[in-house]
Amino acid sequence: MRSCAPLASRVLGLLVAVGLVAVAVSVAGSIVFAALCVPRLARRLSRGTGTGPLPAAAMGALLLSASDLVAITLRRRARSRWAW
């Protein structure tokens, strides 16, 4: 029985994980994805061992507001470019 090389199995595992996350986000929506990512981002930015509800909530509000601003800006640019 042959075993895969460690690098090949890591790459395959990463591709499977990315595919599963893509399917989950497309089904559940981006807000659920943000709810999963925000506590980790808040923990990294605060450099603490745990994340309280206030930093996680602030990070979630910041992330969703920034993504909404980017979406609005891109939509306006697309409309002005294709306007007759």
Side-chain angles (χ1 to χ4, degrees):
M1 185 172 189
R2 293 181 65 192
S3 64
C4 294
L7 181 61
S9 64
R10 283 185 183 179
V11 170
L12 180 63
L14 181 66
L15 290 175
V16 168
V18 167
L20 290 173
V21 168
V23 169
V25 169
S26 67
V27 170
S30 59
I31 293 178
V32 175
F33 179 70
L36 291 174
C37 291
V38 164
R40 292 182 183 266
L41 290 172
R43 187 179 311 137
R44 285 194 179 206
L45 289 177
S46 66
R47 298 185 184 195
T49 57
T51 304
L54 188 60
M59 186 64 161
L62 179 70
L63 183 68
L64 289 178
S65 297
S67 64
D68 188 46
L69 182 65
V70 168
I72 288 171
T73 303
L74 290 176
R75 187 177 300 147
R76 283 185 184 166
R77 285 188 182 176
R79 282 185 185 170
S80 65
R81 176 179 270 178
W82 297 104
W84 297 96

